[in-house]
């Protein structure tokens, strides 16, 4: 499960069981942490989630700022309410990539705003899945 955590909305993505392909799932409006965590726990159980990839905002200079500290604090609190491992993954430019992807699909204005967080979560999760995948083996006769 990939998460793009925002102050107002949370983008959620899931992968197939083989952990090859990430797909945008939904956008959850943030409420209180307690309500958020309850919804996460329910979703994790329903979808049989085994790992959460939490987008971590890293500046283009490669540093963590106040927003990253907030994500880490939120995630630490979340971990007290779920029993699934969480890994952080750089979410740099994921929203820009998500917006570009939605525009390429012909979406505009409100349609982009409705889906961008879930698509950004899918971008984050796919990046993690691609990086975690072992490299393809070269055939012995490849030159």
């Amino acid at each position: 499960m990939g998460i793009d955590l925002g102050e107002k909305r949370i983008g959620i993505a899931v992968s197939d069981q083989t952990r090859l392909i990430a797909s945008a799932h939904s956008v959850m409006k943030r409420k209180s942490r307690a309500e958020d965590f309850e919804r996460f726990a329910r979703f994790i159980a329903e979808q049989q989630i085994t790992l959460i990839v939490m987008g971590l905002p890293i500046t283009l200079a490669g540093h963590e700022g106040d927003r990253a500290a907030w994500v880490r604090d939120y995630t630490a609190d979340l971990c007290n309410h779920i029993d699934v491992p969480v890994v952080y993954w750089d979410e740099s430019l994921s929203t820009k990539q998500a917006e570009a992807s939605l525009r390429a699909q012909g979406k505009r204005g409100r349609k982009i705003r409705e889906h961008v967080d879930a698509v950004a979560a899918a971008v984050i999760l796919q990046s993690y899945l691609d990086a975690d995948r072992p490299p393809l083996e070269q055939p012995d006769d490849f030159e």
Side-chain angles (χ1 to χ4, degrees), residues 38-95:
E38 185 178 307
R39 290 185 288 170
F40 277 129
R42 210 171 28 250
F43 185 81
I44 288 166
E46 289 168 1
Q47 298 291 318
Q48 300 177 331
I49 301 297
T50 58
L51 176 69
I52 294 175
V53 178
M54 181 67 74
L56 187 66
I58 305 293
T59 68
L60 293 178
H63 300 85
E64 291 186 23
D66 293 340
R67 190 153 148 62
W70 176 78
V71 169
R72 286 186 181 278
D73 180 67
Y74 184 99
T75 304
D77 202 4
L78 172 63
C79 288
N80 292 323
H81 296 86
I82 61 170
D83 194 28
V84 175
V86 177
V87 296
Y88 293 104
W89 197 252
D90 184 2
E91 69 169 22
S92 298
L93 304 176
S94 61
T95 299

Side-chain angles (χ1 to χ4, degrees), residues 104-125:
Q105 295 173 32
K107 303 228 184 326
R108 300 283 179 257
R110 195 174 118 232
K111 289 290 185 185
I112 288 177
R113 285 189 300 277
E114 289 174 358
H115 301 283
V116 71
D117 299 300
V119 175
V123 168
I124 295 163
L125 181 57

Side-chain angles (χ1 to χ4, degrees), residues 19 26 62 93:
R19 290 187 176 181
S26 57
L93 304 176

